[in-house]
Amino acid sequence: MQTAFTNICERMGRSQELSEFQRGTVIGCHLCNKSSHEISSLLNIPQSTVSCIIRKWKCFGTTATQPQSGRPRKLTEWCQWMLRRIVSAELIATDLQTSCGLQISSRTVRRELHGMGFHGRAAASKPYITKCNAKRRMQWCKACRHWTLEQWRRILWSDKSLFSIWQSDGWVWVWRSPGERYLSDCTVPSVKFGGGGIMVWGCFSGAGLGPLVPVKGTGNASAYQDILDNSMLPTLWEQLGAGPFLFQHDCAPVHKARSIKTWMTESGVDELDWPAQSPDLNPIEHLWDELERRLRARPSHPTSVCDLTNVFLEEWSKIPMNTLLNLVDSLPRRVEAVIAAKGGPTSY
């Protein structure tokens, strides 16, 4: 008799939902003046479950659970767990059939995904970040975590960007749950400077805008040095004076050329050590977004590269100072976002 009762108790402990008999056993033990702890140990049921059953019996005089409406779900909890694991692998139906032995329709898959909080969304386009560079981004952000706004404002931020007259609006759809927009499995790795149009170089700091320079040709080290001589250096001296200041540019090969390194040393320009694949840390990226929004807001769009260049130069000069300050002052939040993402993509 004791062995049979022990087997019943073991089955009760393993059960996900207690039967009416099991809940009645809990109440029977309670009426025999057993404590919740003793009942939990005797029946191998969590003490919180025991307490909940007793409270419900005292309040409502019953331990019956609310009957479920509608037909029972076809997927078990194990199958739902498998569905969560493979949702972004685009092999949902095949993997579920292999893992769970179920023949299910795509309609059932969609319904279960929606029930678990997953919905089809356009994948966010973010640069591909390797594990090595994610670690490097984390190290950089932790080193700069306690910089003041004044320090961030004394950096001259620079970048090149390509603008096209017409842009592709193609989307890639992924299944994801809320809060997963910027996880690596839910983004589309992007490569900068794809397509045609005009290439421009620009810079700014917390003290104001620098020039917007159209870039022609391949943009080799010689052409980049001309930009540094004629556009960057005059802006640096005009806005930030004798220093201290830092000049930021990314890890493009032309920026690491020996002739450029020599020029930096001879010109007395200190470079900001920069982690690769980190446009989300460079506020000028959002300045390009601002420039593009201004272009799209114009009543008539440019129809040639020449028109596009003139419009960009005009709109660039109209960007207000408070926009520049807001972008620079966002650096502490950007740094914290990268740390929270463990070096991965962020919302910036």
PDB file of all heavy atoms in Angstrom, residues 219-233 254-255 258-264 266-267:
ATOM      1  N   GLY A 219      38.393  57.520 -54.257  1.00  0.00           N
ATOM      2  CA  GLY A 219      38.629  57.906 -52.877  1.00  0.00           C
ATOM      3  C   GLY A 219      39.869  57.263 -52.299  1.00  0.00           C
ATOM      4  O   GLY A 219      39.822  56.669 -51.214  1.00  0.00           O
ATOM      5  N   ASN A 220      41.003  57.384 -52.987  1.00  0.00           N
ATOM      6  CA  ASN A 220      42.243  56.794 -52.494  1.00  0.00           C
ATOM      7  C   ASN A 220      42.896  57.690 -51.441  1.00  0.00           C
ATOM      8  O   ASN A 220      42.345  58.729 -51.048  1.00  0.00           O
ATOM      9  CB  ASN A 220      43.215  56.528 -53.655  1.00  0.00           C
ATOM     10  CG  ASN A 220      43.477  57.786 -54.477  1.00  0.00           C
ATOM     11  OD1 ASN A 220      43.329  58.904 -53.985  1.00  0.00           O
ATOM     12  ND2 ASN A 220      43.854  57.611 -55.737  1.00  0.00           N
ATOM     13  N   ALA A 221      44.084  57.304 -50.976  1.00  0.00           N
ATOM     14  CA  ALA A 221      44.748  58.030 -49.901  1.00  0.00           C
ATOM     15  C   ALA A 221      45.079  59.462 -50.298  1.00  0.00           C
ATOM     16  O   ALA A 221      44.978  60.384 -49.472  1.00  0.00           O
ATOM     17  CB  ALA A 221      46.024  57.294 -49.491  1.00  0.00           C
ATOM     18  N   SER A 222      45.450  59.668 -51.553  1.00  0.00           N
ATOM     19  CA  SER A 222      45.777  61.020 -52.014  1.00  0.00           C
ATOM     20  C   SER A 222      44.547  61.928 -51.980  1.00  0.00           C
ATOM     21  O   SER A 222      44.627  63.080 -51.520  1.00  0.00           O
ATOM     22  CB  SER A 222      46.344  60.951 -53.435  1.00  0.00           C
ATOM     23  OG  SER A 222      46.609  62.252 -53.932  1.00  0.00           O
ATOM     24  N   ALA A 223      43.403  61.407 -52.459  1.00  0.00           N
ATOM     25  CA  ALA A 223      42.172  62.194 -52.440  1.00  0.00           C
ATOM     26  C   ALA A 223      41.725  62.467 -51.010  1.00  0.00           C
ATOM     27  O   ALA A 223      41.251  63.564 -50.692  1.00  0.00           O
ATOM     28  CB  ALA A 223      41.078  61.463 -53.218  1.00  0.00           C
ATOM     29  N   TYR A 224      41.914  61.495 -50.124  1.00  0.00           N
ATOM     30  CA  TYR A 224      41.517  61.696 -48.735  1.00  0.00           C
ATOM     31  C   TYR A 224      42.404  62.726 -48.049  1.00  0.00           C
ATOM     32  O   TYR A 224      41.932  63.547 -47.253  1.00  0.00           O
ATOM     33  CB  TYR A 224      41.565  60.360 -47.979  1.00  0.00           C
ATOM     34  CG  TYR A 224      41.026  60.444 -46.569  1.00  0.00           C
ATOM     35  CD1 TYR A 224      39.747  60.939 -46.315  1.00  0.00           C
ATOM     36  CD2 TYR A 224      41.789  60.031 -45.479  1.00  0.00           C
ATOM     37  CE1 TYR A 224      39.249  61.015 -45.020  1.00  0.00           C
ATOM     38  CE2 TYR A 224      41.298  60.105 -44.191  1.00  0.00           C
ATOM     39  CZ  TYR A 224      40.028  60.607 -43.963  1.00  0.00           C
ATOM     40  OH  TYR A 224      39.541  60.696 -42.682  1.00  0.00           O
ATOM     41  N   GLN A 225      43.666  62.722 -48.390  1.00  0.00           N
ATOM     42  CA  GLN A 225      44.579  63.720 -47.802  1.00  0.00           C
ATOM     43  C   GLN A 225      44.202  65.129 -48.249  1.00  0.00           C
ATOM     44  O   GLN A 225      44.323  66.089 -47.485  1.00  0.00           O
ATOM     45  CB  GLN A 225      46.025  63.415 -48.172  1.00  0.00           C
ATOM     46  CG  GLN A 225      47.032  64.336 -47.482  1.00  0.00           C
ATOM     47  CD  GLN A 225      48.461  63.879 -47.673  1.00  0.00           C
ATOM     48  OE1 GLN A 225      48.738  62.688 -47.736  1.00  0.00           O
ATOM     49  NE2 GLN A 225      49.373  64.838 -47.764  1.00  0.00           N
ATOM     50  N   ASP A 226      43.727  65.271 -49.481  1.00  0.00           N
ATOM     51  CA  ASP A 226      43.249  66.585 -49.947  1.00  0.00           C
ATOM     52  C   ASP A 226      42.063  67.049 -49.101  1.00  0.00           C
ATOM     53  O   ASP A 226      41.968  68.234 -48.752  1.00  0.00           O
ATOM     54  CB  ASP A 226      42.835  66.497 -51.423  1.00  0.00           C
ATOM     55  CG  ASP A 226      44.036  66.396 -52.353  1.00  0.00           C
ATOM     56  OD1 ASP A 226      45.152  66.748 -51.913  1.00  0.00           O
ATOM     57  OD2 ASP A 226      43.854  65.938 -53.502  1.00  0.00           O
ATOM     58  N   ILE A 227      41.154  66.124 -48.774  1.00  0.00           N
ATOM     59  CA  ILE A 227      40.016  66.486 -47.918  1.00  0.00           C
ATOM     60  C   ILE A 227      40.504  66.916 -46.544  1.00  0.00           C
ATOM     61  O   ILE A 227      40.020  67.903 -45.965  1.00  0.00           O
ATOM     62  CB  ILE A 227      39.037  65.287 -47.809  1.00  0.00           C
ATOM     63  CG1 ILE A 227      38.371  65.022 -49.156  1.00  0.00           C
ATOM     64  CG2 ILE A 227      37.985  65.551 -46.733  1.00  0.00           C
ATOM     65  CD1 ILE A 227      37.481  63.793 -49.169  1.00  0.00           C
ATOM     66  N   LEU A 228      41.461  66.182 -45.990  1.00  0.00           N
ATOM     67  CA  LEU A 228      41.996  66.524 -44.670  1.00  0.00           C
ATOM     68  C   LEU A 228      42.663  67.898 -44.686  1.00  0.00           C
ATOM     69  O   LEU A 228      42.475  68.710 -43.769  1.00  0.00           O
ATOM     70  CB  LEU A 228      43.003  65.457 -44.217  1.00  0.00           C
ATOM     71  CG  LEU A 228      42.458  64.034 -44.021  1.00  0.00           C
ATOM     72  CD1 LEU A 228      43.583  63.077 -43.636  1.00  0.00           C
ATOM     73  CD2 LEU A 228      41.358  64.019 -42.963  1.00  0.00           C
ATOM     74  N   ASP A 229      43.426  68.165 -45.730  1.00  0.00           N
ATOM     75  CA  ASP A 229      44.144  69.454 -45.839  1.00  0.00           C
ATOM     76  C   ASP A 229      43.190  70.624 -46.015  1.00  0.00           C
ATOM     77  O   ASP A 229      43.316  71.652 -45.343  1.00  0.00           O
ATOM     78  CB  ASP A 229      45.121  69.406 -47.023  1.00  0.00           C
ATOM     79  CG  ASP A 229      46.491  68.873 -46.635  1.00  0.00           C
ATOM     80  OD1 ASP A 229      46.938  69.194 -45.514  1.00  0.00           O
ATOM     81  OD2 ASP A 229      47.083  68.136 -47.434  1.00  0.00           O
ATOM     82  N   ASN A 230      42.230  70.468 -46.923  1.00  0.00           N
ATOM     83  CA  ASN A 230      41.414  71.604 -47.345  1.00  0.00           C
ATOM     84  C   ASN A 230      40.098  71.750 -46.590  1.00  0.00           C
ATOM     85  O   ASN A 230      39.494  72.830 -46.617  1.00  0.00           O
ATOM     86  CB  ASN A 230      41.116  71.492 -48.847  1.00  0.00           C
ATOM     87  CG  ASN A 230      42.378  71.454 -49.688  1.00  0.00           C
ATOM     88  OD1 ASN A 230      43.335  72.172 -49.409  1.00  0.00           O
ATOM     89  ND2 ASN A 230      42.398  70.608 -50.709  1.00  0.00           N
ATOM     90  N   SER A 231      39.633  70.682 -45.935  1.00  0.00           N
ATOM     91  CA  SER A 231      38.323  70.743 -45.283  1.00  0.00           C
ATOM     92  C   SER A 231      38.376  70.395 -43.798  1.00  0.00           C
ATOM     93  O   SER A 231      37.852  71.116 -42.958  1.00  0.00           O
ATOM     94  CB  SER A 231      37.342  69.789 -45.997  1.00  0.00           C
ATOM     95  OG  SER A 231      37.197  70.143 -47.360  1.00  0.00           O
ATOM     96  N   MET A 232      39.017  69.278 -43.462  1.00  0.00           N
ATOM     97  CA  MET A 232      39.014  68.851 -42.079  1.00  0.00           C
ATOM     98  C   MET A 232      39.856  69.746 -41.190  1.00  0.00           C
ATOM     99  O   MET A 232      39.392  70.238 -40.150  1.00  0.00           O
ATOM    100  CB  MET A 232      39.503  67.403 -41.972  1.00  0.00           C
ATOM    101  CG  MET A 232      39.367  66.810 -40.560  1.00  0.00           C
ATOM    102  SD  MET A 232      40.690  67.258 -39.407  1.00  0.00           S
ATOM    103  CE  MET A 232      42.011  66.189 -39.983  1.00  0.00           C
ATOM    104  N   LEU A 233      41.121  69.983 -41.575  1.00  0.00           N
ATOM    105  CA  LEU A 233      42.036  70.735 -40.710  1.00  0.00           C
ATOM    106  C   LEU A 233      41.559  72.167 -40.451  1.00  0.00           C
ATOM    107  O   LEU A 233      41.566  72.617 -39.296  1.00  0.00           O
ATOM    108  CB  LEU A 233      43.443  70.719 -41.307  1.00  0.00           C
ATOM    109  CG  LEU A 233      44.575  71.107 -40.348  1.00  0.00           C
ATOM    110  CD1 LEU A 233      44.585  70.208 -39.125  1.00  0.00           C
ATOM    111  CD2 LEU A 233      45.921  71.058 -41.069  1.00  0.00           C
ATOM    112  N   VAL A 254      41.616  53.204 -46.380  1.00  0.00           N
ATOM    113  CA  VAL A 254      42.289  54.438 -46.786  1.00  0.00           C
ATOM    114  C   VAL A 254      42.650  55.282 -45.570  1.00  0.00           C
ATOM    115  O   VAL A 254      43.645  56.035 -45.588  1.00  0.00           O
ATOM    116  CB  VAL A 254      41.393  55.233 -47.767  1.00  0.00           C
ATOM    117  CG1 VAL A 254      40.141  55.756 -47.055  1.00  0.00           C
ATOM    118  CG2 VAL A 254      42.165  56.376 -48.407  1.00  0.00           C
ATOM    119  N   HIS A 255      41.888  55.169 -44.499  1.00  0.00           N
ATOM    120  CA  HIS A 255      42.188  55.943 -43.287  1.00  0.00           C
ATOM    121  C   HIS A 255      43.398  55.388 -42.546  1.00  0.00           C
ATOM    122  O   HIS A 255      43.976  56.092 -41.711  1.00  0.00           O
ATOM    123  CB  HIS A 255      40.972  55.943 -42.349  1.00  0.00           C
ATOM    124  CG  HIS A 255      39.766  56.551 -42.947  1.00  0.00           C
ATOM    125  ND1 HIS A 255      38.494  56.377 -42.409  1.00  0.00           N
ATOM    126  CD2 HIS A 255      39.594  57.324 -44.053  1.00  0.00           C
ATOM    127  CE1 HIS A 255      37.615  57.021 -43.146  1.00  0.00           C
ATOM    128  NE2 HIS A 255      38.257  57.595 -44.154  1.00  0.00           N
ATOM    129  N   ARG A 258      49.627  54.407 -44.756  1.00  0.00           N
ATOM    130  CA  ARG A 258      50.838  54.951 -44.133  1.00  0.00           C
ATOM    131  C   ARG A 258      50.964  56.445 -44.363  1.00  0.00           C
ATOM    132  O   ARG A 258      51.347  57.189 -43.452  1.00  0.00           O
ATOM    133  CB  ARG A 258      52.066  54.220 -44.690  1.00  0.00           C
ATOM    134  CG  ARG A 258      53.370  54.632 -44.035  1.00  0.00           C
ATOM    135  CD  ARG A 258      54.529  53.843 -44.594  1.00  0.00           C
ATOM    136  NE  ARG A 258      54.313  52.410 -44.406  1.00  0.00           N
ATOM    137  CZ  ARG A 258      55.128  51.468 -44.895  1.00  0.00           C
ATOM    138  NH1 ARG A 258      56.189  51.818 -45.616  1.00  0.00           N
ATOM    139  NH2 ARG A 258      54.870  50.190 -44.675  1.00  0.00           N
ATOM    140  N   SER A 259      50.600  56.905 -45.552  1.00  0.00           N
ATOM    141  CA  SER A 259      50.708  58.340 -45.845  1.00  0.00           C
ATOM    142  C   SER A 259      49.749  59.157 -44.982  1.00  0.00           C
ATOM    143  O   SER A 259      50.080  60.276 -44.557  1.00  0.00           O
ATOM    144  CB  SER A 259      50.432  58.595 -47.329  1.00  0.00           C
ATOM    145  OG  SER A 259      49.117  58.163 -47.680  1.00  0.00           O
ATOM    146  N   ILE A 260      48.579  58.596 -44.680  1.00  0.00           N
ATOM    147  CA  ILE A 260      47.605  59.299 -43.839  1.00  0.00           C
ATOM    148  C   ILE A 260      48.096  59.330 -42.392  1.00  0.00           C
ATOM    149  O   ILE A 260      47.972  60.357 -41.699  1.00  0.00           O
ATOM    150  CB  ILE A 260      46.223  58.621 -43.925  1.00  0.00           C
ATOM    151  CG1 ILE A 260      45.692  58.677 -45.366  1.00  0.00           C
ATOM    152  CG2 ILE A 260      45.243  59.289 -42.969  1.00  0.00           C
ATOM    153  CD1 ILE A 260      45.523  60.072 -45.925  1.00  0.00           C
ATOM    154  N   LYS A 261      48.673  58.239 -41.914  1.00  0.00           N
ATOM    155  CA  LYS A 261      49.231  58.213 -40.563  1.00  0.00           C
ATOM    156  C   LYS A 261      50.349  59.239 -40.417  1.00  0.00           C
ATOM    157  O   LYS A 261      50.444  59.947 -39.401  1.00  0.00           O
ATOM    158  CB  LYS A 261      49.753  56.810 -40.246  1.00  0.00           C
ATOM    159  CG  LYS A 261      48.667  55.748 -40.115  1.00  0.00           C
ATOM    160  CD  LYS A 261      47.800  56.017 -38.900  1.00  0.00           C
ATOM    161  CE  LYS A 261      46.782  54.913 -38.692  1.00  0.00           C
ATOM    162  NZ  LYS A 261      45.885  55.190 -37.540  1.00  0.00           N
ATOM    163  N   THR A 262      51.180  59.323 -41.450  1.00  0.00           N
ATOM    164  CA  THR A 262      52.267  60.313 -41.428  1.00  0.00           C
ATOM    165  C   THR A 262      51.708  61.728 -41.408  1.00  0.00           C
ATOM    166  O   THR A 262      52.186  62.608 -40.670  1.00  0.00           O
ATOM    167  CB  THR A 262      53.171  60.116 -42.654  1.00  0.00           C
ATOM    168  OG1 THR A 262      53.709  58.793 -42.629  1.00  0.00           O
ATOM    169  CG2 THR A 262      54.314  61.129 -42.648  1.00  0.00           C
ATOM    170  N   TRP A 263      50.678  61.974 -42.206  1.00  0.00           N
ATOM    171  CA  TRP A 263      50.053  63.309 -42.252  1.00  0.00           C
ATOM    172  C   TRP A 263      49.485  63.682 -40.879  1.00  0.00           C
ATOM    173  O   TRP A 263      49.636  64.816 -40.432  1.00  0.00           O
ATOM    174  CB  TRP A 263      48.947  63.316 -43.302  1.00  0.00           C
ATOM    175  CG  TRP A 263      48.308  64.668 -43.486  1.00  0.00           C
ATOM    176  CD1 TRP A 263      48.646  65.631 -44.403  1.00  0.00           C
ATOM    177  CD2 TRP A 263      47.219  65.206 -42.719  1.00  0.00           C
ATOM    178  NE1 TRP A 263      47.850  66.735 -44.256  1.00  0.00           N
ATOM    179  CE2 TRP A 263      46.964  66.506 -43.223  1.00  0.00           C
ATOM    180  CE3 TRP A 263      46.451  64.742 -41.676  1.00  0.00           C
ATOM    181  CZ2 TRP A 263      45.967  67.324 -42.715  1.00  0.00           C
ATOM    182  CZ3 TRP A 263      45.463  65.559 -41.161  1.00  0.00           C
ATOM    183  CH2 TRP A 263      45.224  66.834 -41.668  1.00  0.00           C
ATOM    184  N   MET A 264      48.824  62.751 -40.222  1.00  0.00           N
ATOM    185  CA  MET A 264      48.253  63.010 -38.899  1.00  0.00           C
ATOM    186  C   MET A 264      49.336  63.416 -37.906  1.00  0.00           C
ATOM    187  O   MET A 264      49.177  64.372 -37.129  1.00  0.00           O
ATOM    188  CB  MET A 264      47.508  61.763 -38.381  1.00  0.00           C
ATOM    189  CG  MET A 264      46.262  61.408 -39.168  1.00  0.00           C
ATOM    190  SD  MET A 264      44.911  62.566 -38.887  1.00  0.00           S
ATOM    191  CE  MET A 264      43.656  61.866 -39.965  1.00  0.00           C
ATOM    192  N   GLU A 266      52.393  64.651 -38.550  1.00  0.00           N
ATOM    193  CA  GLU A 266      53.014  65.932 -38.917  1.00  0.00           C
ATOM    194  C   GLU A 266      52.078  67.109 -38.690  1.00  0.00           C
ATOM    195  O   GLU A 266      52.526  68.221 -38.403  1.00  0.00           O
ATOM    196  CB  GLU A 266      53.446  65.889 -40.387  1.00  0.00           C
ATOM    197  CG  GLU A 266      54.573  64.899 -40.660  1.00  0.00           C
ATOM    198  CD  GLU A 266      54.928  64.819 -42.130  1.00  0.00           C
ATOM    199  OE1 GLU A 266      54.152  65.388 -42.953  1.00  0.00           O
ATOM    200  OE2 GLU A 266      55.956  64.197 -42.479  1.00  0.00           O
ATOM    201  N   SER A 267      50.783  66.898 -38.777  1.00  0.00           N
ATOM    202  CA  SER A 267      49.815  67.982 -38.605  1.00  0.00           C
ATOM    203  C   SER A 267      49.395  68.155 -37.140  1.00  0.00           C
ATOM    204  O   SER A 267      48.642  69.079 -36.821  1.00  0.00           O
ATOM    205  CB  SER A 267      48.563  67.715 -39.461  1.00  0.00           C
ATOM    206  OG  SER A 267      48.907  67.595 -40.831  1.00  0.00           O
TER     207      SER A 267
END
